Amino acid sequence: MNKTEAMKLKKRESTVIFLLILVNIVLFYFLMGKVYLRIDCTQGKKYFISQPTVDLLKKIDNKLVINYYYEKRCKEAQGISQVIQYVDDMLQEYEAKGNGMVDYRREELSFENQNHLEKIAEIEKLGVKKVALSQSEGTESKSTLGFSGIVLTYKGKTSSIGVIFSDAKFEYMLDVEISKLLGLNNGRVGILVSSHEKTLDKDFRYLYQYVTNEYSDAEVIYSPGAIPEDISTLLLVGGETFSEFDMYKLDQFMMNGGKMLMLANGVKLNFQNPYGPPASVTENQVINMLAAYGITINHDLVGDNESYNPVMQRGSIFAERMRYPMWVKVIAENINRKNPIVDEFNEVNMFWPSSITISDELKDKVQPLLKTTNKSWSMAEDFKIDVDSYKYPVQEGKSQYLLACAYEGALKSFFKDRDAPTPPEGTELKGGKISEGNGKLVVIANEDFISNDFLNREDEIYLILNSLDWLTKDGSLIKIRNKGKFSRPLNKVNNLSMLNLYKNLIITFTTVIIPLGFIAAAIGVFTSRRRFRKVLEEQFAEYSEQPQAEETEKVEEEQNGEE
Amino acid sequence: MIKVKNLVKNYGGKTPAVNDVTFSIGKGEIVGLLGPNGAGKTTIMKMITGYLNPSQGEVLVDGINTLDDPISVKSKIGYLPERSPLYNDMTVYEYLSFVADVRGLVGNEKYQKITDMIVLVNLEKVVARKIKELSNGYKKRVGLASAMIHDPEILILDEPTAGLDPNQIIMFRKILRRLSEQKTIILSTHVLSEIEAICEKVIIINSGKIVADNTLQELMENHSKEKFLDFIVEAEKLADVEKVVCNIDGAWNVEFEKKETKNQFRFKALLSSSEEFKTKLSEAVNGKGWKLVYAEEKKPNLEEIFLKLTANTQEIEHVQ
Amino acid sequence: MYNKIYPIYKREMSSYFYSSIAYIFLILFVFMTNIMFFYFFGGIFKEETASMRRYFTILPYVFTVFIPGLAMGSWAKEKSEGTIEMLFTYPVAQWKIVAGKFLAVLTLVGIALACSLFIPLLTQIFVGDFDWGQLFTQYLGALLMACAYIAVTFFMSSITSELIDSFLLSAATLLLLTLAGYVTSAYVMVFPDWLGWLKIFLNEISLSTHFGNFSKGVIHSTDVIYYLGIALVFFYCNIKALESKKWS
């Protein structure tokens, strides 16, 4: 009896132990929330600090204080709490990798706490911005103010990242701020659009937004004659409107060690006048200047018979995808893997690009960036751009064309053998003419792909931003910005019908064939089981034959006996 | 082999299902647990097998408490539950193979055992059939085979013959008799002939208590002085007769047995005081103008003893 | 000693595969999830992106129906057919019986998930590159999540004796636990300030929020502990629930 009592006690004990275990698990769980372990399995370790950052942190030779402030309520918003978590994770890593020079402090502030208000006002002055967080829901609309931002202090200078509500590009933004504080950044970016029809506001609005987002001190410039002193890098789209004097200024800018990202069409499409020729050669002095440097944007249109973006046209029932080789899709194997600007791209789209030819002199020094496939053709006259002309392959594509390239090195002036033009009235030409200099150039023979009409993926914008990074910085930071941000396009097949075929194949296999496979397996299992049963039956039939007869006799006997 | 001490099982009702039961069973004995439905036979068996834990008291199997080491107790026991629940979607062979696996049989031994069992309980014909397609008798036999596959020292069979037809019952008994040579068997039933046919010892349980724990011979001897009266009354209506006869003092129990002819009714009375009953009976019959056609005192058989023992707990206590 | 988990596991598997349960589960799971993934929730070919994240966003909801459907009978059926009486008189420790059954269900879920692996595999071969590190954590997370779902269903099955009760109870519990995370997202409802603790609490206990890191490609110790913890607690409750029957 004692035993049972003991068992009952044991039972009660085990309940207590269970509760203790439960409490332990919960405690352990919350403890792990504080001290925890994260393993990042993504390619490129998106959620871990990267090598260029580690290298950057090595350059710090004084105490760098990183203060992270966020509003308490931000933590309760689901998407944002993860960002705060991420920022916290990353900053802890910065502190760990900072050789004792990085001091990370996290502060949770609340508008409701009177003691915090002063602090909030203070950090607001330093650049942390208040943002309305919640959105309207049903009849009720509520919005709360919140903030999440970083203030950096280094050698008495402060700098800030005012708004952090996304984990995208966080590491890059922080690194840029740190390198600014360390004095590693040089020069600003100027944006210049020169075209008879297009303007920055109207046609390149997204480009403007992205670039100014990234380079908050970027400035819009209206002519090369007015490039401010502290602008070191120029983003130039087109160049049709430049005067001779403008050209001289631009050339001298380059000779002075200027850096330029040049986007220009060799052939201009004529959308305005339906009766005129569909396209005409661009008259652009900058193209001539580049040709003099050794990088020629040809006055042609390139078509790629193998890799292109189809044109969607309304068909009878469904939208039809029309063949259109002049919307070139540059595929991974034609992207220069050795150049940091493009090495992580999987696909870049160009719309009516022209080809680039490199002079013999520069041939070995220019780094190609983007090329068409070797089944491409070019068209230098009699331009046809309508979709119907390309319904079926008419031109034979035989060669490969260069669409974008990068160059760093010696340049000979466009005005080497000419006199400087006379400046327009009211301006003065300062300093003498420089005939030779060192410049840094990225040339892309297409401007339409970043225009509002065609820009629909982030990857193309990254091409621009990466180029600007390559021009302005030493290039190591390019990798971080793109960290984990690249879309993974389905780009292994260029042929559209093949792609569709593969897609349908995959869908069919995974959703239909596999279930059918299970049905087949079921039939297999059932038949094999039946066969096995038959074998068993036969095997035991031998046993049953003799004893069975004996058995029944005995039963009868017994029955008699029973009665 | 099996010792049960002061076993109590309380399911939460007012009276425990098993109330202070003590008995012991020696090695090689074949014991019948006898009792009316709901007496607690199954509960006792479940406690021995370790499926249920006792509320109080203890069960020792081969000296091991079922609560201390349930696994080793379970491995000594083969158990056939009352309804013989089986996995219906398996074939007989698959099921036996599964039980052999669980019982830890491996390799050749396993297959030998399965074959032995199939031959022993005559399952050859249905070996490849799904269990759900089998008749009750075959299901019972599969249950028995699975209970014996690991050659247990103890076999616990809960109502092994319930739901079987006479042929199958006889076959079953034959198998049990064959087994009884080497094994300790506990068998529960409410069919008396079963006990008489197989068991050497009987434990009678009523309302959770033991009312008799004897060998069959002893039991018969103990109750040899008991008598019952077999009599036939001739009257118009059975209901009237029953009303009168059942209220006569001097008997434990008076029961209508059958209609002999249209107006003759046979009764059986378990007597406590033979003379008193007989006098009162004849008085009552004569008073009503009926006729006592036949009356004879007989010695009780097991059935009557059982009836008497389980008739009413209080009275039995009084007798003991 | 001879491992007793395996015979139990084997029997469970055979009962799934010798009946139609396994096939119906696998076929419906693969078919329904893939249809949802390819056509309704903006999957791989709609977004033209080599990523399975959408698939794993649907998965918790698919699990709330399919896992109770698969595992509801684990105990309820044994109890209603009485076979549990046989099972518990075999010389096998209870936890081993539970473990055997658990592994069998997990295997089936594993097979179903493995079938979805053909999507990235074929896509990788033919049309686009995947981040396999991320895929690894996604599948690992899915398996851990499945463990938690199975454990909850097992427990519910062990305290009911009707299949439909068992299914409804576990599906409802799982749905609540899964939706807890969804409710807290700002789009569904706005929590007043004084209920902030509730929001955090719901977020922490939800079965779906803890999948977020796995889905991104990060293995976070808290999430692993959460899923294993849920699985272990319910596993233990399951054993206790079965044991309490012995004492009743």
Side-chain angles (χ1 to χ4, degrees):
Chain A
M1 219 185 297
N2 285 337
K3 191 121 246 162
T4 330
E5 289 301 317
M7 280 306 286
K8 276 193 166 171
L9 203 71
K10 222 170 145 189
K11 187 190 157 202
R12 212 161 298 144
E13 262 173 32
S14 76
T15 318
V16 173
I17 289 172
F18 170 66
L19 285 175
L20 282 175
I21 290 173
L22 201 67
V23 168
N24 269 326
I25 287 179
V26 172
L27 278 179
F28 190 52
Y29 173 78
F30 279 105
L31 198 76
M32 289 305 271
K34 299 259 177 280
V35 188
Y36 53 78
L37 212 114
R38 280 169 79 97
I39 305 167
D40 187 349
C41 296
T42 53
Q43 230 170 45
K45 302 230 179 261
K46 184 185 171 196
Y47 301 96
F48 275 5
I49 194 167
S50 56
Q51 194 55 43
T53 306
V54 175
D55 294 339
L56 177 71
L57 292 176
K58 276 183 192 151
K59 293 176 190 159
I60 299 174
D61 52 7
N62 220 312
K63 205 80 176 170
L64 171 72
V65 183
I66 305 178
N67 280 299
Y68 178 40
Y69 302 103
Y70 61 90
E71 217 280 327
K72 201 177 156 197
R73 268 170 300 185
C74 296
K75 221 177 167 185
E76 288 154 23
Q78 202 186 14
I80 295 165
S81 71
Q82 279 165 8
V83 174
I84 293 174
Q85 170 78 67
Y86 171 75
V87 170
D88 189 34
D89 289 352
M90 291 298 281
L91 290 177
Q92 280 180 26
E93 289 245 349
Y94 271 75
E95 192 174 26
K97 297 272 159 60
N99 308 315
M101 286 299 178
V102 177
D103 196 357
Y104 163 52
R105 294 165 197 166
R106 190 174 75 156
E107 230 171 304
E108 187 177 286
L109 300 173
S110 168
F111 286 121
E112 282 146 35
N113 192 330
Q114 293 301 319
N115 303 332
H116 287 170
L117 291 178
E118 203 178 314
K119 181 83 190 173
I120 291 171
E122 188 186 317
I123 60 169
E124 230 180 318
K125 264 181 217 154
L126 291 172
V128 176
K129 287 176 187 126
K130 282 186 204 162
V131 174
L133 279 180
S134 272
Q135 49 282 90
S136 61
E137 186 49 50
T139 50
E140 225 183 327
S141 85
K142 267 193 178 179
S143 85
T144 3
L145 276 182
F147 54 83
S148 156
I150 284 177
V151 176
L152 300 142
T153 319
Y154 183 72
K155 284 183 179 170
K157 285 186 285 184
T158 60
S159 135
S160 67
I161 304 173
V163 182
I164 305 171
F165 284 114
S166 144
D167 54 9
K169 291 193 287 188
F170 170 75
E171 193 182 354
Y172 171 76
M173 292 195 303
L174 187 59
D175 284 4
V176 167
E177 288 308 318
I178 292 174
S179 54
K180 261 190 210 162
L181 279 177
L182 295 179
L184 296 174
N185 249 21
N186 37 3
R188 293 158 60 208
V189 172
I191 310 170
L192 207 171
V193 172
S194 159
S195 165
H196 290 307
E197 297 93 16
K198 296 172 194 166
T199 65
L200 184 62
D201 292 341
K202 208 173 84 236
D203 301 282
F204 298 102
R205 198 169 54 245
Y206 298 139
L207 173 73
Y208 173 74
Q209 280 167 5
Y210 277 104
V211 171
T212 49
N213 239 347
E214 201 74 42
Y215 295 88
S216 48
D217 50 3
E219 189 178 332
V220 178
I221 298 162
Y222 297 97
S223 89
I227 300 175
E229 283 282 309
D230 59 342
I231 296 256
S232 67
T233 307
L234 189 65
L235 164 58
L236 173 62
V237 181
E240 293 171 280
T241 59
F242 291 167
S243 64
E244 187 71 2
F245 180 70
D246 285 336
M247 284 318 299
Y248 177 70
K249 283 297 246 182
L250 189 63
D251 178 60
Q252 291 302 302
F253 170 76
M254 289 309 295
M255 293 303 121
N256 271 317
K259 296 154 186 171
M260 181 164 74
L261 166 59
M262 166 76 181
L263 297 143
N265 287 340
V267 170
K268 187 163 81 169
L269 280 100
N270 179 8
F271 295 114
Q272 270 82 18
N273 181 4
Y275 305 107
S280 56
V281 166
T282 319
E283 281 161 28
N284 185 340
Q285 281 296 311
V286 187
I287 291 179
N288 298 341
M289 179 182 92
L290 288 176
Y293 290 165
I295 300 169
T296 313
I297 296 178
N298 297 315
H299 295 292
D300 62 1
L301 287 174
V302 173
D304 192 329
N305 277 356
E306 206 171 80
S307 173
Y308 52 85
N309 282 288
V311 174
M312 302 296 279
Q313 273 202 343
R314 189 172 295 169
S316 47
I317 305 171
F318 298 109
E320 259 180 88
R321 295 170 152 229
M322 307 289 285
R323 188 178 177 281
Y324 197 62
M326 280 189 290
W327 285 6
V328 176
K329 182 194 275 182
V330 179
I331 53 169
E333 60 184 78
N334 293 321
I335 293 172
N336 186 356
R337 294 280 155 214
K338 284 176 193 151
N339 188 294
I341 300 174
V342 287
D343 65 347
E344 287 191 37
F345 284 91
N346 288 314
E347 163 184 326
V348 178
N349 294 320
M350 296 270 161
F351 301 90
W352 300 289
S354 302
S355 62
I356 295 176
T357 318
I358 311 291
S359 70
D360 292 340
E361 209 177 321
L362 294 185
K363 205 138 230 172
D364 304 328
K365 294 171 194 158
V366 167
Q367 304 176 45
L369 297 179
L370 308 171
K371 284 177 180 171
T372 64
T373 68
N374 52 18
K375 296 279 192 303
S376 306
W377 45 263
S378 82
M379 175 169 56
E381 54 193 0
D382 247 352
F383 301 109
K384 283 198 195 91
I385 61 165
D386 58 309
V387 176
D388 289 338
S389 310
Y390 297 98
K391 223 168 182 173
Y392 307 101
V394 279
Q395 303 89 335
E396 200 184 348
K398 285 191 251 187
S399 39
Q400 186 171 35
Y401 294 94
L402 181 65
L403 302 180
C405 63
Y407 172 74
E408 180 177 14
L411 293 171
K412 279 185 187 132
S413 170
F414 187 37
F415 292 87
K416 184 178 60 178
D417 308 321
R418 292 186 277 166
D419 285 334
T422 42
E425 274 174 50
T427 48
E428 231 176 283
L429 196 59
K430 280 184 237 159
K433 191 180 81 178
I434 309 168
S435 324
E436 260 175 66
N438 274 312
K440 222 172 168 184
L441 262 171
V442 175
V443 180
I444 301 170
N446 188 222
E447 54 193 62
D448 293 302
F449 77 104
I450 42 132
S451 71
N452 297 343
D453 298 336
F454 291 99
L455 189 68
N456 63 357
R457 304 186 330 143
E458 284 206 322
D459 293 25
E460 275 77 35
I461 269 298
Y462 282 122
L463 176 63
I464 303 300
L465 297 177
N466 279 358
S467 303
L468 289 176
D469 267 357
W470 183 77
L471 293 168
T472 53
K473 304 186 185 90
D474 53 1
S476 67
L477 290 184
I478 297 175
K479 286 206 162 178
I480 313 174
R481 186 199 25 236
N482 306 329
K483 213 168 140 182
K485 281 317 282 181
F486 279 106
S487 53
R488 296 180 160 272
L490 307 172
N491 58 357
K492 280 196 176 169
V493 189
N494 312 311
N495 189 319
L496 206 71
S497 54
M498 278 306 274
L499 181 67
N500 282 334
L501 180 74
Y502 282 134
K503 280 182 186 175
N504 288 331
L505 256 175
I506 292 170
I507 293 179
T508 316
F509 183 81
T510 52
T511 35
V512 181
I513 305 283
I514 289 180
L516 284 178
F518 283 128
I519 294 174
I523 293 168
V525 167
F526 283 118
T527 50
S528 80
R529 194 180 177 209
R530 181 162 294 166
R531 199 174 305 138
F532 178 69
R533 283 164 61 179
K534 205 160 252 174
V535 170
L536 257 184
E537 227 155 51
E538 280 162 16
Q539 195 182 324
F540 277 92
E542 292 166 22
Y543 281 99
S544 68
E545 236 137 72
Q546 281 177 334
Q548 196 60 37
E550 204 180 300
E551 213 65 50
T552 37
E553 265 170 46
K554 272 191 183 172
V555 170
E556 273 160 24
E557 260 174 46
E558 208 143 333
Q559 232 161 348
N560 293 336
E562 205 81 7
E563 282 163 13
Chain B
M1 196 73 200
I2 298 172
K3 275 191 185 138
V4 172
K5 283 189 208 158
N6 305 102
L7 201 61
V8 175
K9 180 70 191 181
N10 206 330
Y11 282 120
K14 270 183 203 163
T15 48
V18 174
N19 197 354
D20 201 17
V21 164
T22 304
F23 62 84
S24 72
I25 296 167
K27 196 167 185 166
E29 281 186 321
I30 171 157
V31 178
L33 268 182
L34 198 59
N37 284 329
K41 292 168 291 179
T42 303
T43 309
I44 291 174
M45 289 184 146
K46 281 180 176 171
M47 282 191 276
I48 297 172
T49 57
Y51 177 66
L52 290 176
N53 289 343
S55 308
Q56 270 172 42
E58 56 184 8
V59 178
L60 298 174
V61 175
D62 224 2
I64 305 165
N65 191 314
T66 46
L67 293 178
D68 281 347
D69 189 356
I71 303 291
S72 74
V73 168
K74 282 171 184 171
S75 62
K76 285 184 183 16
I77 294 177
Y79 176 44
L80 174 65
E82 187 177 348
R83 284 196 297 135
S84 183
L86 303 163
Y87 292 109
N88 282 327
D89 48 359
M90 298 176 106
T91 66
V92 171
Y93 191 87
E94 282 163 359
Y95 179 70
L96 291 178
S97 166
F98 157 65
V99 178
D101 282 341
V102 170
R103 291 291 185 179
L105 299 172
V106 278
N108 257 344
E109 195 198 355
K110 175 180 153 187
Y111 295 105
Q112 193 51 52
K113 277 284 173 200
I114 295 173
T115 315
D116 286 353
M117 284 305 123
I118 289 170
V119 174
L120 180 69
V121 297
N122 292 324
L123 287 169
E124 295 95 336
K125 279 185 178 169
V126 295
V127 76
R129 278 250 215 109
K130 279 189 187 165
I131 288 175
K132 63 181 163 205
E133 296 163 358
L134 298 183
S135 69
N136 259 340
Y138 273 121
K139 279 187 187 168
K140 272 269 152 79
R141 280 196 245 171
V142 174
L144 189 66
S146 74
M148 293 188 306
I149 201 160
H150 58 301
D151 205 5
E153 294 162 55
I154 302 163
L155 260 181
I156 296 179
L157 311 172
D158 197 353
E159 307 264 1
T161 54
L164 300 190
D165 63 41
N167 245 353
Q168 291 169 326
I169 291 178
I170 290 158
M171 184 100 83
F172 217 88
R173 286 181 188 163
K174 192 173 59 77
I175 293 166
L176 283 187
R177 244 174 260 147
R178 206 187 291 166
L179 287 171
S180 66
E181 287 154 28
Q182 320 115 32
K183 296 188 195 306
T184 310
I185 300 176
I186 304 178
L187 178 91
S188 91
T189 180
H190 53 262
V191 182
L192 292 150
S193 56
E194 195 128 319
I195 304 273
E196 283 180 311
I198 315 166
C199 300
E200 39 196 76
K201 197 177 156 185
V202 63
I203 296 171
I204 300 177
I205 294 164
N206 190 33
S207 306
K209 289 192 171 183
I210 294 189
V211 290
D213 176 7
N214 282 116
T215 61
L216 273 175
Q217 272 183 331
E218 280 173 348
L219 196 68
M220 299 297 264
E221 273 168 26
N222 283 353
H223 293 273
S224 60
K225 287 169 207 148
E226 313 282 342
K227 280 173 185 166
F228 75 93
L229 186 72
D230 194 12
F231 62 94
I232 299 171
V233 177
E234 196 178 289
E236 286 288 312
K237 270 185 176 173
L238 174 63
D240 298 337
V241 181
E242 229 175 350
K243 208 183 272 173
V244 174
V245 168
C246 289
N247 287 324
I248 297 172
D249 290 338
W252 300 112
N253 184 353
V254 182
E255 216 174 81
F256 168 66
E257 266 207 330
K258 63 177 183 184
K259 228 173 171 178
E260 290 286 311
T261 64
K262 196 191 167 204
N263 289 328
Q264 292 188 346
F265 310 105
R266 173 173 274 215
F267 287 85
K268 192 194 262 180
L270 279 170
L271 302 178
S272 53
S273 160
S274 162
E275 291 310 312
E276 189 189 351
F277 184 79
K278 276 197 243 171
T279 338
K280 287 197 174 170
L281 178 67
S282 54
E283 274 171 21
V285 169
N286 291 336
K288 290 276 177 184
W290 300 329
K291 205 168 142 198
L292 198 61
V293 180
Y294 160 87
E296 194 185 348
E297 266 182 41
K298 283 182 181 167
K299 282 204 165 186
N301 60 15
L302 190 61
E303 193 176 346
E304 279 95 24
I305 295 171
F306 172 71
L307 272 176
K308 188 189 146 193
L309 288 173
T310 57
N312 185 316
T313 323
Q314 273 187 334
E315 284 172 32
I316 286 157
E317 269 170 358
H318 154 78
V319 166
Q320 278 174 337
Chain C
M1 206 186 129
Y2 186 70
N3 186 1
K4 294 289 175 57
I5 296 178
Y6 180 67
I8 306 282
Y9 171 79
K10 199 171 114 186
R11 200 212 77 76
E12 286 296 310
M13 288 303 273
S14 74
S15 91
Y16 286 131
F17 279 98
Y18 284 168
S19 65
S20 52
I21 301 172
Y23 307 103
I24 288 182
F25 167 79
L26 288 172
I27 290 167
L28 284 183
F29 188 102
V30 170
F31 187 74
M32 303 287 282
T33 319
N34 282 7
I35 290 286
M36 284 195 269
F37 177 52
F38 285 128
Y39 295 107
F40 292 103
F41 292 91
I44 183 164
F45 296 137
K46 270 195 162 177
E47 294 174 347
E48 299 253 333
T49 313
S51 157
M52 290 286 281
R53 267 182 96 153
R54 299 277 178 198
Y55 185 87
F56 290 97
T57 340
I58 317 171
L59 208 56
Y61 299 96
V62 175
F63 274 178
T64 52
V65 178
F66 277 88
I67 288 186
L70 182 64
M72 62 181 175
S74 303
W75 298 112
K77 203 172 160 197
E78 299 257 9
K79 280 195 285 186
S80 66
E81 290 188 358
T83 42
I84 196 165
E85 201 172 336
M86 297 300 308
L87 206 54
F88 284 150
T89 50
Y90 294 137
V92 183
Q94 277 185 4
W95 73 267
K96 288 187 180 174
I97 298 176
V98 182
K101 282 172 171 285
F102 190 92
L103 288 177
V105 180
L106 191 62
T107 309
L108 271 175
V109 176
I111 293 173
L113 283 176
C115 289
S116 72
L117 209 53
F118 279 103
I119 302 171
L121 204 67
L122 291 175
T123 308
Q124 176 85 22
I125 293 171
F126 295 119
V127 282
D129 290 323
F130 265 89
D131 183 343
W132 285 86
Q134 193 185 34
L135 270 180
F136 167 75
T137 63
Q138 285 169 340
Y139 277 95
L140 178 80
L143 277 182
L144 283 172
M145 186 164 68
C147 283
Y149 278 68
I150 296 169
V152 172
T153 311
F154 264 44
F155 173 68
M156 294 302 167
S157 183
S158 74
I159 58 170
T160 50
S161 52
E162 290 291 331
L163 283 182
I164 194 73
D165 290 354
S166 161
F167 175 78
L168 289 177
L169 253 181
S170 38
T173 313
L174 289 174
L175 191 65
L176 281 179
L177 280 177
T178 310
L179 281 179
Y182 175 67
V183 167
T184 56
S185 66
Y187 310 100
V188 181
M189 67 187 277
V190 181
F191 278 77
D193 289 347
W194 55 274
L195 273 179
W197 60 271
L198 179 67
K199 194 171 177 179
I200 293 170
F201 175 73
L202 287 177
N203 243 337
E204 290 293 333
I205 65 156
S206 168
L207 282 164
S208 52
T209 45
H210 286 273
F211 194 65
N213 275 326
F214 287 115
S215 174
K216 274 198 298 193
V218 175
I219 301 171
H220 195 308
S221 53
T222 313
D223 303 325
V224 176
I225 285 174
Y226 170 82
Y227 283 128
L228 289 183
I230 290 271
L232 283 177
V233 166
F234 278 95
F235 194 92
Y236 186 85
C237 288
N238 186 355
I239 295 176
K240 284 289 145 190
L242 294 169
E243 212 154 74
S244 74
K245 295 245 156 33
K246 289 177 136 196
W247 293 98
S248 68

